[in-house]
Amino acid sequence: MNAEPTVQHALLLSVGLFALGALGVFLRRNIITILMCIELMLNAANLAFVAFSNHLGTREGQILVFFVMTVAAAEAAVGLAIVIALHRGKDTLDVDAFSVLKW
Amino acid sequence: MSETTIQTVIAAVKILVIFNVLLGLFSLMTWVERRVLAFMQFRLGPNRTGPFGILQPVADGIKLFFKEEFIPPGADKWLFIAAPAVSVITAFLAIAVVPYGGSVTLPQASWLGPFAGREVSLQIVDLEVGVLYIFAITALGVYGIVMAGWASNNKYTLIGGLRSSAQMFSYELSLGLSWVGIIMLAGSFRIQDIVAAQDGGFWRWNAFIQFPAFLIYVVASTAEVNRTPFDLAEAETELVAGFHTEYASMKFALLQMAEYVNMITVSALGTNLFLGGWNAPFPGVPDTGLAGVAWFGVKVLSVLFFFIWLRGTLPRFRYDQLMHFGWKVLVPAAAVWILITAGALAFQGPRPAAAAVGAL
Amino acid sequence: MDFAALLFYAFGALALGSAIVVISQRNPIYSAFALIVTLCSLSAIYGLLGSPFIAVLQIVVYAGAIMVLFLFVLMLLNVKREGRDPGDGRTLKGVALALAVLLALQIGTVLMRARLGPARPLDASTEKMARDLFSLPYLYVFEATSVLILAALVGAVALARKDS
């Protein structure tokens, strides 16, 4: 194995994290944990951006990461507000409990 | 010895010195605080152990060492143990980028070997994003408190933990905003550059040029380190002792240590950002090398005294007042001040702008 | 192996390990704390990849703001441990694992086949980043995100407040 961390190793790490995030979305049934797994996947994508940016010597990747982070912050705020509203209605956070569009 | 080894040794020595100075200052502060508070309240304070009671911190330490380690039933064991560790680690991490002087040149003595005549900067790491790094680490400090509050499995600790995290969350915003004007004037996130921009007399210090930002910083940093009048997280009258109610023995000591180290960090940072760092108050007074460290020490100790003085003077805020003040007064004020500074910079360029903003 | 490489692999392993804890815990509070560890080690990796600004931003935004929000909601709602799966959990878990591995293989193949060419030096100092962000192609996007954040703020308050 190559001793120097190359862009490939960072990308492999990113793939691993992304797959773990996806697996978490499949496995877990608590809405908040699922949201956290989505954050994990976003971070995996960010890592890929930073790795490419580092290899290609351009800052575009990092600027994209900057925007991903702001959008993730907005997403988390709205997502958690929805979770609170859901919890108020059903008193549970199990995704299986929210199987109807209206109640 | 290779260059890398020499650099590593220098860094290790700096880390050791800073770590021990912080520990010493922490234990001294617990004693000074009690004595000064007692003096302000016409009491005596601890005066039995050693001359003037100065050995009181040692006695306290020994007492805490021999107390029973207790984990409340129903508590989350791992998080309960991790919480003080997280608090202390984040508290010590923040000080790493705070400079405490310019640089010293080691003497050309033979016993120093390869270190003789080397210039050593008085800062552990000089980060390009120094101010932002401190901002990030302070943000992490919230977790120790949240963990402690939640893991104790106690209503008072939970409420205390949630309160203080909400408070740190809210005031961190105005804390960060109060730095923006300074960063714009210095044109850099590096603390060394910010200090260098304040060289040449006390009228060049940001405390005067950026007076409104300085006021905001004082208020927000007091809230950030949970000191009176913002110590709602541990309001004895309402919450027993807040998030550390269930902690005893060394874990309690660690939480206390984190609190005091945070206070020292905030004072050191405020000195660097607003009070000119290690610059002497008048031009011509020596402030390079160790003289600079002395100036820095004097300033930090005065700020620490100011914190104790505040505690002896002001009553505690009410929780809703605290939130309203943070969000509806401090944040808008800081934003308006940033606009004024930015406007002055845009119209006049960096140097005259400083004068213009100062004249306001 | 030099020190930076050692740090890179250590933090990479830490990120992967804590990510596994995130998805395998039934207690969401543990998941949240494990995710904080992942985010911090990713920040260290960003620093090692020569992007100090993004590294600090990662901690300020993700660990300092988003995760505090998550923890706050978890404690506010007093979320309990997830219950056992009602149905045939084992088969479904196997299917999920297979799907995730398939996904990893797909993305991995695409990324590994990318023709990257030789590495070029990167200058991502904070000043350069700021000049990029506040100059033309990105200036409008930057302003648009501020509107987005404002919209999210108002939306979150509207969604979470009690019906009046």
Side-chain angles (χ1 to χ4, degrees):
Chain A
M1 197 177 103
N2 195 343
E4 283 295 301
T6 56
V7 61
Q8 269 84 14
H9 295 157
L11 289 176
L12 278 179
L13 178 62
S14 148
V15 169
L17 288 177
F18 194 88
L20 279 174
L23 185 61
V25 173
F26 294 149
L27 286 181
R28 297 268 72 92
R29 285 179 295 119
N30 186 315
I31 303 178
I32 297 185
T33 318
I34 291 179
L35 272 177
M36 288 194 276
C37 292
I38 293 173
E39 296 292 339
L40 189 60
M41 290 160 78
L42 282 174
N43 268 286
N46 281 352
L47 176 59
F49 276 132
V50 171
F52 277 127
S53 157
N54 181 52
H55 186 79
L56 299 175
T58 54
R59 286 185 294 277
E60 272 86 356
Q62 307 210 6
I63 284 165
L64 266 169
V65 172
F66 179 86
F67 288 124
V68 170
M69 279 184 188
T70 37
V71 174
E75 172 246 305
V78 176
L80 287 172
I82 293 175
V83 168
I84 291 177
L86 285 176
H87 188 267
R88 195 171 287 139
K90 283 253 172 103
D91 210 33
T92 173
L93 285 179
D94 195 327
V95 272
D96 295 337
F98 305 103
S99 50
V100 287
L101 287 174
K102 204 176 169 191
W103 75 80
Chain B
M1 258 193 280
S2 72
E3 185 60 29
T4 339
T5 329
I6 291 175
Q7 292 299 338
T8 315
V9 169
I10 289 177
V13 168
K14 280 196 277 192
I15 291 170
L16 263 179
V17 169
I18 287 294
F19 187 69
N20 284 302
V21 165
L22 273 180
L23 284 184
L25 205 54
F26 148 68
S27 46
L28 209 62
M29 273 302 289
T30 57
W31 172 73
V32 169
E33 173 155 32
R34 288 161 75 184
R35 286 291 286 189
V36 172
L37 267 186
F39 172 73
M40 285 175 181
Q41 296 162 348
F42 303 104
R43 294 185 286 114
L44 282 176
N47 63 349
R48 293 286 135 176
T49 26
F52 305 107
I54 198 161
L55 292 179
Q56 187 65 33
V58 181
D60 283 342
I62 294 172
K63 185 191 84 169
L64 282 170
F65 258 119
F66 288 108
K67 283 229 170 182
E68 187 193 353
E69 230 15 88
F70 182 69
I71 297 179
D76 193 305
K77 195 179 161 205
W78 293 111
L79 288 184
F80 189 80
I81 294 172
V86 170
S87 295
V88 169
I89 290 171
T90 50
F92 276 107
L93 271 180
I95 205 86
V97 296
V98 179
Y100 42 93
S103 60
V104 284
T105 312
L106 294 178
Q108 288 285 4
S110 57
W111 58 271
L112 280 170
F115 298 101
R118 244 166 212 288
E119 196 179 350
V120 178
S121 85
L122 294 174
Q123 184 181 18
I124 296 177
V125 261
D126 187 14
L127 272 190
E128 185 211 356
V129 286
V131 183
L132 273 179
Y133 169 85
I134 291 187
F135 192 61
I137 297 296
T138 354
L140 287 184
V142 182
Y143 290 119
I145 293 172
V146 173
M147 264 187 189
W150 185 79
S152 301
N153 191 31
N154 175 324
K155 287 193 183 72
Y156 296 119
T157 60
L158 184 61
I159 295 173
L162 282 181
R163 265 192 185 185
S164 70
S165 54
Q167 175 182 333
M168 289 173 91
F169 212 47
S170 313
Y171 278 81
E172 199 161 81
L173 206 61
S174 18
L175 193 74
L177 288 178
S178 74
W179 297 341
V180 173
I182 294 172
I183 293 165
M184 285 195 291
L185 283 182
S188 169
F189 281 118
R190 178 177 275 133
I191 301 177
Q192 296 270 5
D193 295 347
I194 294 174
V195 174
Q198 303 176 66
D199 189 18
F202 69 88
W203 52 90
R204 299 281 298 274
W205 292 357
N206 282 326
F208 298 97
I209 295 175
Q210 293 270 317
F211 185 65
F214 180 57
L215 284 187
I216 293 166
Y217 179 79
V218 169
V219 176
S221 60
T222 317
E224 189 66 23
V225 295
N226 281 325
R227 296 277 306 179
T228 343
F230 302 104
D231 59 342
L232 291 136
E234 42 197 280
E236 297 94 342
T237 41
E238 306 164 33
L239 288 172
V240 192
F243 60 89
H244 55 60
T245 304
E246 297 284 4
Y247 280 89
S249 187
M250 281 319 283
K251 295 201 200 67
F252 175 75
L254 283 182
L255 284 173
Q256 285 293 328
M257 189 197 289
E259 231 164 81
Y260 277 92
V261 170
N262 275 329
M263 195 166 107
I264 295 168
T265 309
V266 159
S267 311
L269 185 66
T271 305
N272 274 324
L273 294 187
F274 288 96
L275 300 176
W278 56 88
N279 288 320
F282 298 101
V285 183
D287 59 359
T288 47
L290 290 179
V293 178
W295 279 117
F296 185 74
V298 168
K299 287 175 188 175
V300 170
L301 290 179
S302 334
V303 177
L304 286 173
F305 177 77
F306 174 76
F307 272 119
I308 300 174
W309 188 10
L310 269 187
R311 181 167 168 191
T313 313
L314 294 175
R316 189 175 287 136
F317 265 70
R318 216 172 58 215
Y319 189 64
D320 59 320
Q321 291 172 333
L322 172 97
M323 282 298 165
H324 281 237
F325 186 65
W327 285 102
K328 294 185 181 166
V329 180
L330 278 189
V331 172
V336 168
W337 182 247
I338 290 173
L339 277 181
I340 293 174
T341 313
L345 271 175
F347 285 115
Q348 312 210 324
R351 272 305 156 203
V357 171
L360 263 172
Chain C
M1 199 188 279
D2 67 312
F3 190 57
L6 199 69
L7 278 180
F8 178 87
Y9 292 117
F11 279 114
L14 188 63
L16 275 180
S18 52
I20 290 173
V21 176
V22 172
I23 65 162
S24 58
Q25 275 297 326
R26 285 181 182 279
N27 189 338
I29 298 253
Y30 284 163
S31 292
F33 282 122
L35 187 55
I36 293 165
V37 176
T38 315
L39 298 174
C40 291
S41 33
L42 277 180
S43 157
I45 287 180
Y46 294 164
L48 290 170
L49 287 175
S51 15
F53 182 64
I54 292 295
V56 173
L57 216 61
Q58 164 90 357
I59 291 194
V60 172
V61 176
Y62 268 112
I66 297 181
M67 287 320 291
V68 175
L69 207 61
F70 270 98
L71 275 178
F72 228 77
V73 171
L74 282 173
M75 289 177 183
L76 206 69
L77 301 182
N78 197 12
V79 182
K80 307 272 184 324
R81 287 171 62 89
E82 223 173 69
R84 289 268 149 207
D85 290 304
D88 184 11
R90 190 166 289 180
T91 327
L92 284 176
K93 266 182 195 153
V95 173
L97 193 64
L99 280 175
V101 170
L102 198 67
L103 184 68
L105 285 178
Q106 273 184 339
I107 308 173
T109 345
V110 172
L111 287 183
M112 288 306 115
R113 283 165 63 100
R115 286 197 201 87
L116 285 169
R120 270 173 290 237
L122 169 72
D123 177 13
S125 67
T126 317
E127 194 192 334
K128 285 269 165 45
M129 287 289 291
R131 284 196 193 285
D132 278 2
L133 273 175
F134 293 116
S135 60
L136 251 193
Y138 301 110
L139 182 62
Y140 297 125
V141 191
F142 186 85
E143 294 299 329
T145 48
S146 66
V147 178
L148 172 79
I149 297 247
L150 182 67
L153 195 74
V154 175
V157 171
L159 276 169
R161 77 185 304 165
K162 292 201 173 76
D163 298 323
S164 52

mmCIF file of all heavy atoms in Angstrom, chain B residues 67-92:
data_model
loop_
_atom_site.group_PDB
_atom_site.id
_atom_site.type_symbol
_atom_site.label_atom_id
_atom_site.label_comp_id
_atom_site.label_asym_id
_atom_site.label_seq_id
_atom_site.Cartn_x
_atom_site.Cartn_y
_atom_site.Cartn_z
ATOM 1 N N LYS B 67 -12.507 12.516 48.219
ATOM 2 C CA LYS B 67 -13.965 12.367 48.275
ATOM 3 C C LYS B 67 -14.386 11.110 47.533
ATOM 4 O O LYS B 67 -13.677 10.613 46.656
ATOM 5 C CB LYS B 67 -14.618 13.582 47.629
ATOM 6 C CG LYS B 67 -14.605 14.787 48.526
ATOM 7 C CD LYS B 67 -15.977 15.371 48.575
ATOM 8 C CE LYS B 67 -16.039 16.429 49.646
ATOM 9 N NZ LYS B 67 -17.376 16.981 49.735
ATOM 10 N N GLU B 68 -15.587 10.637 47.857
ATOM 11 C CA GLU B 68 -16.048 9.415 47.211
ATOM 12 C C GLU B 68 -16.444 9.705 45.771
ATOM 13 O O GLU B 68 -17.087 10.686 45.470
ATOM 14 C CB GLU B 68 -17.255 8.850 47.969
ATOM 15 C CG GLU B 68 -17.675 7.509 47.447
ATOM 16 C CD GLU B 68 -19.037 7.093 47.974
ATOM 17 O OE1 GLU B 68 -19.563 7.810 48.832
ATOM 18 O OE2 GLU B 68 -19.549 6.080 47.506
ATOM 19 N N GLU B 69 -16.014 8.823 44.884
ATOM 20 C CA GLU B 69 -16.426 8.877 43.488
ATOM 21 C C GLU B 69 -17.841 8.313 43.445
ATOM 22 O O GLU B 69 -18.071 7.199 43.880
ATOM 23 C CB GLU B 69 -15.536 7.895 42.782
ATOM 24 C CG GLU B 69 -14.738 8.157 41.529
ATOM 25 C CD GLU B 69 -14.484 9.524 41.029
ATOM 26 O OE1 GLU B 69 -13.518 10.166 41.412
ATOM 27 O OE2 GLU B 69 -15.260 9.925 40.170
ATOM 28 N N PHE B 70 -18.794 9.080 42.945
ATOM 29 C CA PHE B 70 -20.162 8.568 42.960
ATOM 30 C C PHE B 70 -20.823 8.789 41.610
ATOM 31 O O PHE B 70 -20.805 9.891 41.079
ATOM 32 C CB PHE B 70 -20.966 9.257 44.055
ATOM 33 C CG PHE B 70 -22.362 8.760 44.176
ATOM 34 C CD1 PHE B 70 -22.614 7.483 44.650
ATOM 35 C CD2 PHE B 70 -23.434 9.551 43.781
ATOM 36 C CE1 PHE B 70 -23.904 7.011 44.748
ATOM 37 C CE2 PHE B 70 -24.727 9.069 43.878
ATOM 38 C CZ PHE B 70 -24.953 7.807 44.369
ATOM 39 N N ILE B 71 -21.384 7.711 41.078
ATOM 40 C CA ILE B 71 -22.156 7.838 39.845
ATOM 41 C C ILE B 71 -23.600 7.566 40.197
ATOM 42 O O ILE B 71 -23.927 6.481 40.678
ATOM 43 C CB ILE B 71 -21.657 6.859 38.775
ATOM 44 C CG1 ILE B 71 -20.207 7.216 38.420
ATOM 45 C CG2 ILE B 71 -22.517 6.924 37.534
ATOM 46 C CD1 ILE B 71 -19.587 6.327 37.404
ATOM 47 N N PRO B 72 -24.479 8.542 40.016
ATOM 48 C CA PRO B 72 -25.856 8.356 40.468
ATOM 49 C C PRO B 72 -26.527 7.182 39.758
ATOM 50 O O PRO B 72 -26.253 6.935 38.586
ATOM 51 C CB PRO B 72 -26.528 9.678 40.120
ATOM 52 C CG PRO B 72 -25.589 10.428 39.288
ATOM 53 C CD PRO B 72 -24.245 9.857 39.437
ATOM 54 N N PRO B 73 -27.388 6.446 40.462
ATOM 55 C CA PRO B 73 -28.113 5.341 39.812
ATOM 56 C C PRO B 73 -29.001 5.900 38.710
ATOM 57 O O PRO B 73 -29.585 6.957 38.857
ATOM 58 C CB PRO B 73 -28.939 4.742 40.940
ATOM 59 C CG PRO B 73 -28.998 5.790 41.982
ATOM 60 C CD PRO B 73 -27.766 6.603 41.861
ATOM 61 N N GLY B 74 -29.063 5.179 37.584
ATOM 62 C CA GLY B 74 -29.874 5.660 36.471
ATOM 63 C C GLY B 74 -29.118 6.621 35.585
ATOM 64 O O GLY B 74 -29.620 7.000 34.537
ATOM 65 N N ALA B 75 -27.916 7.012 36.002
ATOM 66 C CA ALA B 75 -27.139 7.899 35.148
ATOM 67 C C ALA B 75 -26.528 7.100 34.010
ATOM 68 O O ALA B 75 -26.337 5.892 34.119
ATOM 69 C CB ALA B 75 -26.034 8.571 35.955
ATOM 70 N N ASP B 76 -26.220 7.802 32.933
ATOM 71 C CA ASP B 76 -25.557 7.164 31.808
ATOM 72 C C ASP B 76 -24.071 7.160 32.110
ATOM 73 O O ASP B 76 -23.405 8.182 32.056
ATOM 74 C CB ASP B 76 -25.859 7.952 30.536
ATOM 75 C CG ASP B 76 -25.474 7.191 29.315
ATOM 76 O OD1 ASP B 76 -24.310 6.796 29.242
ATOM 77 O OD2 ASP B 76 -26.341 6.973 28.453
ATOM 78 N N LYS B 77 -23.534 5.971 32.440
ATOM 79 C CA LYS B 77 -22.207 5.916 33.033
ATOM 80 C C LYS B 77 -21.135 6.539 32.136
ATOM 81 O O LYS B 77 -20.357 7.383 32.564
ATOM 82 C CB LYS B 77 -21.854 4.453 33.324
ATOM 83 C CG LYS B 77 -20.683 4.332 34.263
ATOM 84 C CD LYS B 77 -20.381 2.860 34.533
ATOM 85 C CE LYS B 77 -18.970 2.713 35.059
ATOM 86 N NZ LYS B 77 -18.424 1.393 34.798
ATOM 87 N N TRP B 78 -21.116 6.138 30.845
ATOM 88 C CA TRP B 78 -20.016 6.575 29.991
ATOM 89 C C TRP B 78 -20.070 8.062 29.732
ATOM 90 O O TRP B 78 -19.057 8.750 29.811
ATOM 91 C CB TRP B 78 -20.018 5.774 28.692
ATOM 92 C CG TRP B 78 -19.686 4.356 28.961
ATOM 93 C CD1 TRP B 78 -20.517 3.296 28.866
ATOM 94 C CD2 TRP B 78 -18.448 3.843 29.450
ATOM 95 N NE1 TRP B 78 -19.876 2.161 29.259
ATOM 96 C CE2 TRP B 78 -18.594 2.460 29.608
ATOM 97 C CE3 TRP B 78 -17.222 4.426 29.759
ATOM 98 C CZ2 TRP B 78 -17.580 1.649 30.070
ATOM 99 C CZ3 TRP B 78 -16.204 3.625 30.227
ATOM 100 C CH2 TRP B 78 -16.386 2.247 30.373
ATOM 101 N N LEU B 79 -21.241 8.559 29.436
ATOM 102 C CA LEU B 79 -21.340 9.999 29.169
ATOM 103 C C LEU B 79 -21.060 10.785 30.437
ATOM 104 O O LEU B 79 -20.473 11.863 30.396
ATOM 105 C CB LEU B 79 -22.716 10.345 28.615
ATOM 106 C CG LEU B 79 -22.976 9.894 27.194
ATOM 107 C CD1 LEU B 79 -24.330 10.385 26.717
ATOM 108 C CD2 LEU B 79 -21.897 10.400 26.272
ATOM 109 N N PHE B 80 -21.475 10.234 31.587
ATOM 110 C CA PHE B 80 -21.235 10.906 32.867
ATOM 111 C C PHE B 80 -19.741 11.069 33.097
ATOM 112 O O PHE B 80 -19.280 12.115 33.564
ATOM 113 C CB PHE B 80 -21.856 10.069 33.985
ATOM 114 C CG PHE B 80 -21.877 10.747 35.328
ATOM 115 C CD1 PHE B 80 -22.857 11.682 35.619
ATOM 116 C CD2 PHE B 80 -20.925 10.457 36.271
ATOM 117 C CE1 PHE B 80 -22.885 12.306 36.840
ATOM 118 C CE2 PHE B 80 -20.940 11.082 37.505
ATOM 119 C CZ PHE B 80 -21.927 12.006 37.788
ATOM 120 N N ILE B 81 -18.973 10.053 32.730
ATOM 121 C CA ILE B 81 -17.518 10.135 32.905
ATOM 122 C C ILE B 81 -16.901 11.018 31.823
ATOM 123 O O ILE B 81 -15.952 11.765 32.078
ATOM 124 C CB ILE B 81 -16.905 8.724 32.861
ATOM 125 C CG1 ILE B 81 -17.388 7.929 34.076
ATOM 126 C CG2 ILE B 81 -15.396 8.774 32.846
ATOM 127 C CD1 ILE B 81 -17.018 6.473 34.038
ATOM 128 N N ALA B 82 -17.465 10.938 30.599
ATOM 129 C CA ALA B 82 -16.849 11.677 29.487
ATOM 130 C C ALA B 82 -17.050 13.180 29.622
ATOM 131 O O ALA B 82 -16.211 13.955 29.168
ATOM 132 C CB ALA B 82 -17.436 11.190 28.159
ATOM 133 N N ALA B 83 -18.147 13.602 30.260
ATOM 134 C CA ALA B 83 -18.493 15.030 30.259
ATOM 135 C C ALA B 83 -17.384 15.919 30.831
ATOM 136 O O ALA B 83 -16.989 16.887 30.158
ATOM 137 C CB ALA B 83 -19.798 15.243 31.009
ATOM 138 N N PRO B 84 -16.851 15.635 32.041
ATOM 139 C CA PRO B 84 -15.784 16.522 32.534
ATOM 140 C C PRO B 84 -14.561 16.511 31.631
ATOM 141 O O PRO B 84 -13.938 17.557 31.428
ATOM 142 C CB PRO B 84 -15.432 15.934 33.906
ATOM 143 C CG PRO B 84 -16.516 15.010 34.247
ATOM 144 C CD PRO B 84 -17.158 14.569 32.994
ATOM 145 N N ALA B 85 -14.249 15.332 31.054
ATOM 146 C CA ALA B 85 -13.098 15.255 30.165
ATOM 147 C C ALA B 85 -13.286 16.165 28.960
ATOM 148 O O ALA B 85 -12.390 16.931 28.593
ATOM 149 C CB ALA B 85 -12.888 13.806 29.716
ATOM 150 N N VAL B 86 -14.485 16.094 28.352
ATOM 151 C CA VAL B 86 -14.741 16.937 27.181
ATOM 152 C C VAL B 86 -14.615 18.412 27.553
ATOM 153 O O VAL B 86 -13.988 19.206 26.837
ATOM 154 C CB VAL B 86 -16.142 16.636 26.620
ATOM 155 C CG1 VAL B 86 -16.526 17.649 25.558
ATOM 156 C CG2 VAL B 86 -16.184 15.246 26.049
ATOM 157 N N SER B 87 -15.174 18.780 28.709
ATOM 158 C CA SER B 87 -15.099 20.182 29.135
ATOM 159 C C SER B 87 -13.661 20.643 29.235
ATOM 160 O O SER B 87 -13.279 21.691 28.716
ATOM 161 C CB SER B 87 -15.763 20.362 30.497
ATOM 162 O OG SER B 87 -17.114 20.104 30.412
ATOM 163 N N VAL B 88 -12.830 19.835 29.931
ATOM 164 C CA VAL B 88 -11.448 20.259 30.167
ATOM 165 C C VAL B 88 -10.667 20.297 28.864
ATOM 166 O O VAL B 88 -9.913 21.244 28.602
ATOM 167 C CB VAL B 88 -10.786 19.322 31.188
ATOM 168 C CG1 VAL B 88 -9.311 19.571 31.245
ATOM 169 C CG2 VAL B 88 -11.389 19.537 32.545
ATOM 170 N N ILE B 89 -10.869 19.270 28.011
ATOM 171 C CA ILE B 89 -10.093 19.229 26.763
ATOM 172 C C ILE B 89 -10.404 20.447 25.897
ATOM 173 O O ILE B 89 -9.501 21.121 25.401
ATOM 174 C CB ILE B 89 -10.386 17.921 26.003
ATOM 175 C CG1 ILE B 89 -9.777 16.741 26.758
ATOM 176 C CG2 ILE B 89 -9.818 17.983 24.607
ATOM 177 C CD1 ILE B 89 -10.194 15.399 26.226
ATOM 178 N N THR B 90 -11.698 20.769 25.740
ATOM 179 C CA THR B 90 -12.017 21.924 24.899
ATOM 180 C C THR B 90 -11.488 23.205 25.521
ATOM 181 O O THR B 90 -11.033 24.094 24.809
ATOM 182 C CB THR B 90 -13.526 22.033 24.657
ATOM 183 O OG1 THR B 90 -14.175 21.954 25.913
ATOM 184 C CG2 THR B 90 -14.015 20.951 23.774
ATOM 185 N N ALA B 91 -11.539 23.292 26.868
ATOM 186 C CA ALA B 91 -11.046 24.505 27.509
ATOM 187 C C ALA B 91 -9.562 24.693 27.225
ATOM 188 O O ALA B 91 -9.116 25.789 26.900
ATOM 189 C CB ALA B 91 -11.290 24.437 29.016
ATOM 190 N N PHE B 92 -8.780 23.596 27.300
ATOM 191 C CA PHE B 92 -7.338 23.734 27.090
ATOM 192 C C PHE B 92 -6.988 23.892 25.619
ATOM 193 O O PHE B 92 -5.987 24.520 25.290
ATOM 194 C CB PHE B 92 -6.591 22.538 27.681
ATOM 195 C CG PHE B 92 -6.309 22.689 29.147
ATOM 196 C CD1 PHE B 92 -7.009 21.956 30.080
ATOM 197 C CD2 PHE B 92 -5.370 23.591 29.576
ATOM 198 C CE1 PHE B 92 -6.759 22.112 31.427
ATOM 199 C CE2 PHE B 92 -5.117 23.753 30.924
ATOM 200 C CZ PHE B 92 -5.809 23.019 31.847
#
